[in-house]
Amino acid sequence: MTDQLSRRTFAKLAGAAALGASNIPLVAQAQVEAATLPPPSPRSFPTGFLWGTATASYQVEGAVAEDGRLPSIWDTFSHTPGKVAKNATGDVADDHYHRYKGDVQLMKALGVKAYRFSIAWPRVFPNGSGAPNAKGLDFYNRLVDELLANGIQPFATLYHWDLPQALQDRGGGWESRETAEAFGKYAGYVAQHLTDRVKHIFTINEFGAFMELGYNIGVHAPGLKLPPKRFYQARHNGVLGHGLAVQAIRASGKPGTKVGLAENLVVGVPVIENAEHIAAAEKATRDINAQYLTVIMEGKYTDAYIARMGANAPRVTADDLKIISSPLDFVGTNIYQPTFVRADAGPSGYAVVPNPPSYPHMISPWLFMGPEVLYWGPHHVAKLWNVKEIYITENGTSSSDVPAADGKVYDTDRIMYLRNYLSQLQRAVADGVPVKGYFLWSLMDNFEWADGYENRFGLHYVDYATQRRTPKLSAAFYREVIARNAVA
Ligand code: PNW
């Protein structure tokens, strides 16, 4: 019998068994299995592991002209025809600004212990700098109070891409040092008013996305394709803004306030888990993130990055580097997809292995499936920079999410994704990697940037015509994970 034949025969037999046509009665078969198989491993997380969900201001709030808010670069961009799928905007989004109380109840029903949200800079400083708008900040006071009243810890991000348009108009946004300085002042003001209740603050969300997509490739706001010299300057101003914010939060925050950032670092995943490829993956992770996380953690740009920038490098002072590398209390990592790396004989010691055309991805074409990235991401961060407190600040997936005839959404692909990724996260904590919490992206479907409302990432299905939220099957899965404190 050839191999193929035996496989086919086996498949046929298995199919027959599933239909109950096997010679072995199914009940007897189950008894044999119960007698011989050990119980499933609990795959538990440490006691106190912080389960959470995440959203961001422009993606969920709506109410873009209320209580003194002025436009951000995302209002301008989304209102420019042709920039966002179906010309969608965040004008209403999930109307979370008015429905936050109900949304907190969704979190409570999941059993989450923490919620990561972002603060819209143009609500708090509508012109970017100058006079603060107390009414804008009040929304976050109300939200924070509601979370705490329901036993949910607030984790606030200060910049999730909605830059006040005024700052873009004045100096070209992050092209200008003025933006970095204004960000520091805004951070200090928020810290002064919220850190009596908000104990964890993230400065900036994903340099690796908004800088590259917004200022280099031009597919996100402000839609620029800057020449290299101006682009490298913008990157530098970005990390400088982060450092100024860390210092301002330390100066104005209540004692016990913890500060970090949420970065979508490129995570090198070893093609094979052996010593040479693991070492290469670690080197790649340090090198590829040189312009953001590496300079923040090490206080200098790597020689390789300086060489890559050549004559286009920005002017960098020793003082800048000191500010940029202000010590952090924790590092947040947004992790979705792997970058495979192998050892290489060349000077860098590594090579990135592109995904072959057949490599599987979720419905978003960029979202390649690679659960091991949730093991290696925090592992590299802990090892490279001796970080003692790590959060997974985003992880999750899009899905087609078409409601079935009974109105429910059976998103088995999302559950498959989460189960596999969480298994690798559990492996990391079991190995002693200091991951303290996990924020699933996202609590509910929302404005997915240039994809508009076409790509859904939520645990709750949002009917945008009625603003009705319906828990998907994945919400039940996540509730089970949280209740067991283990992979379900
Ligand atoms: C993150 N990539 O963006 C953002 O922080 C969220 O606002 C967003 O909704 C979520 O992930 C889902 O997209 C990313 O190309 C955008 O690798 C692009 C990438 C990663 C993250």
Side-chain angles (χ1 to χ4, degrees):
M1 192 160 63
T2 68
D3 221 26
Q4 185 134 41
L5 189 60
S6 70
R7 241 185 281 140
R8 241 191 263 145
T9 311
F10 174 75
K12 214 167 138 203
L13 284 176
L19 291 170
S22 152
N23 287 337
I24 313 169
L26 283 183
V27 177
Q29 203 175 322
Q31 277 166 355
V32 172
E33 280 168 13
T36 53
L37 290 176
S41 118
R43 293 186 290 170
S44 302
F45 285 79
T47 310
F49 189 82
L50 209 60
W51 295 104
T53 58
T55 64
S57 46
Y58 190 71
Q59 295 182 270
V60 299
E61 285 178 1
V64 291
E66 264 175 69
D67 296 327
R69 182 190 183 277
L70 288 180
S72 74
I73 55 174
W74 266 98
D75 296 86
T76 308
F77 190 76
S78 64
H79 279 269
T80 308
K83 298 295 185 191
V84 172
K86 299 198 174 161
N87 291 323
T89 74
D91 287 3
V92 178
D94 291 330
D95 194 30
H96 176 69
Y97 194 79
H98 300 112
R99 295 169 191 265
Y100 68 95
K101 286 191 178 175
D103 293 337
V104 171
Q105 291 312 307
L106 301 179
M107 297 175 212
K108 201 171 176 187
L110 288 172
V112 297
K113 312 283 186 291
Y115 175 51
R116 174 175 177 247
F117 60 96
S118 84
I119 295 175
W121 186 350
R123 288 195 193 283
V124 183
F125 285 93
N127 284 300
S129 57
N133 171 36
K135 268 187 145 179
L137 188 73
D138 264 351
F139 169 65
Y140 302 102
N141 276 317
R142 294 194 292 279
L143 174 63
V144 165
D145 289 345
E146 188 69 18
L147 289 165
L148 291 173
N150 285 280
I152 299 169
Q153 290 183 46
F155 280 60
T157 304
L158 296 176
Y159 186 75
H160 202 125
W161 310 353
D162 38 6
L163 183 76
Q165 181 64 40
L167 286 170
Q168 190 63 43
D169 294 343
R170 280 209 292 277
W174 291 104
E175 279 200 69
S176 151
R177 204 178 170 100
E178 185 204 334
T179 293
E181 283 159 5
F183 184 62
K185 297 214 174 85
Y186 154 64
Y189 179 80
V190 171
Q192 191 188 335
H193 290 88
L194 290 186
T195 55
D196 56 332
R197 288 154 293 153
V198 179
K199 298 301 176 193
H200 296 80
I201 300 193
F202 305 97
T203 56
I204 286 184
N205 181 72
E206 296 198 353
F207 289 106
F210 83 88
M211 276 289 169
E212 307 299 317
L213 302 175
Y215 288 82
N216 183 23
I217 302 170
V219 296
H220 275 193
L224 299 174
K225 292 182 188 164
L226 295 179
K229 195 170 176 60
R230 286 167 60 190
F231 179 54
Y232 294 141
Q233 183 67 55
R235 279 179 169 175
H236 180 68
N237 293 337
V239 288
L240 182 68
H242 154 82
L244 289 168
V246 174
Q247 296 190 339
I249 295 162
R250 299 255 185 255
S252 309
K254 300 274 183 297
T257 306
K258 289 188 166 188
V259 190
L261 81 173
E263 182 57 359
N264 62 325
L265 73 162
V266 174
V267 176
V269 174
V271 283
I272 300 168
E273 293 191 0
N274 67 16
E276 60 162 349
H277 296 305
I278 291 171
E282 196 180 298
K283 266 186 223 155
T285 302
R286 177 171 177 268
D287 189 38
I288 299 172
N289 298 290
Q291 61 272 32
Y292 305 126
L293 196 54
T294 304
V295 69
I296 287 170
M297 301 310 291
E298 299 184 11
K300 66 197 242 337
Y301 289 113
T302 62
D303 294 341
Y305 180 54
I306 292 170
R308 280 202 289 278
M309 289 190 292
N312 291 315
R315 206 171 61 85
V316 176
T317 67
D319 204 38
D320 285 357
L321 291 170
K322 217 172 142 208
I323 295 167
I324 290 167
S325 59
S326 303
L328 301 178
D329 298 301
F330 57 82
V331 170
T333 57
N334 295 359
I335 295 184
Y336 289 89
Q337 47 145 346
T339 296
F340 288 105
V341 167
R342 62 170 172 82
D344 188 72
S348 73
Y350 73 88
V352 169
V353 181
N355 291 329
S358 58
Y359 196 96
H361 61 77
M362 306 305 287
I363 198 170
S364 299
W366 58 268
L367 218 176
F368 293 103
M369 175 81 191
E372 304 79 11
V373 69
L374 216 45
Y375 178 82
W376 289 106
H379 188 283
H380 291 323
V381 168
K383 176 125 187 287
L384 280 168
W385 301 300
N386 194 26
V387 176
K388 302 287 189 219
E389 186 170 341
I390 297 173
Y391 293 93
I392 307 301
T393 31
E394 285 181 27
N395 172 246
T397 184
S398 47
S399 164
S400 48
D401 286 341
V402 180
D406 62 4
K408 297 196 171 132
V409 175
Y410 295 95
D411 52 342
T412 49
D413 54 344
R414 180 174 287 109
I415 294 175
M416 177 280 294
Y417 176 101
L418 293 172
R419 186 190 294 120
N420 281 281
Y421 275 66
L422 288 174
S423 296
Q424 291 290 325
L425 184 62
Q426 192 275 339
R427 178 184 163 213
V429 295
D431 279 5
V433 179
V435 181
K436 306 297 182 192
Y438 170 90
F439 294 85
L440 201 155
W441 186 273
S442 176
L443 171 67
M444 55 190 166
D445 298 336
N446 57 50
F447 177 78
E448 177 56 15
W449 308 114
D451 292 333
Y453 297 99
E454 302 305 299
N455 262 337
R456 294 173 176 270
F457 274 80
L459 289 173
H460 294 87
Y461 183 87
V462 176
D463 175 345
Y464 293 105
T466 60
Q467 288 295 345
R468 217 178 109 140
R469 284 91 157 115
T470 308
K472 302 175 190 173
L473 192 60
S474 56
F477 167 78
Y478 195 43
R479 198 184 323 118
E480 185 81 29
V481 168
I482 296 170
R484 286 196 213 174
N485 199 30
V487 183

